Amino acid sequence: MKRRTIPLALVALVAACFLALPALSQEDMTTIPDQGFAAHTRLPAVFNHDAHNEKAGISDCTTCHHGEKDGKRDPSQDTSGIPCSDCHTAAGKPGRTPLMRAFHEQCMGCHMAKKKGPVTCGDCHRPVK
């Protein structure tokens, strides 16, 4: 019986496609993923990733998808495709910002600094149109 082997290049291609899926899925994003919360008290925040970034003129992913070094935000690390809840838990790990505060500081903080965009609960947490 002849033994079949899968070419290494094919395995690498499949792995690359699989790893790229989270980043590509942002094209279809209509709300902020909120899987990090056990209980939901509001609707997910409405957010169209690509339309937002185009309108805001954001081309650097690390503007939002930042890393961390020594307990401090590190914008030199790109964490695109990694859910925020992987680092920011609902309760907040010691020395880390809790998930809800991280979302609010990230979004509302930028909107208030730029004096553009929604900053009230009902502006973001609403039914998707």
Side-chain angles (χ1 to χ4, degrees):
M1 180 178 253
K2 200 174 195 181
R3 190 172 158 190
R4 289 187 170 186
T5 59
I6 300 172
L8 184 58
L10 179 59
V11 172
L13 178 63
V14 170
C17 290
F18 179 77
L19 292 173
L21 286 177
L24 294 175
S25 67
Q26 292 176 346
E27 293 176 14
D28 296 330
M29 181 186 286
T30 56
T31 61
I32 297 290
D34 60 355
Q35 69 269 22
F37 299 107
H40 296 86
T41 56
R42 295 194 179 272
L43 293 169
V46 173
F47 182 75
N48 183 307
H49 183 269
D50 291 346
H52 171 270
N53 291 347
E54 185 175 318
K55 185 175 182 179
I58 298 172
S59 59
D60 180 6
C61 298
T62 61
T63 301
C64 301
H65 300 280
H66 64 90
E68 171 270 329
K69 184 176 181 177
D70 299 326
K72 303 282 184 208
R73 181 184 173 111
D74 181 4
S76 69
Q77 296 181 30
D78 185 347
T79 58
S80 299
I82 299 171
C84 299
S85 58
D86 277 14
C87 295
H88 299 279
T89 60
K93 295 176 184 174
R96 298 225 176 181
T97 305
L99 184 59
M100 187 181 304
R101 187 172 349 138
F103 280 138
H104 288 148
E105 286 178 2
Q106 180 79 356
C107 302
M108 291 170 38
C110 183
H111 291 171
M112 292 187 335
K114 304 268 186 201
K115 296 183 172 50
K116 294 181 180 178
V119 293
T120 65
C121 302
D123 285 340
C124 296
H125 298 277
R126 58 183 171 76
V128 177
K129 293 181 183 178

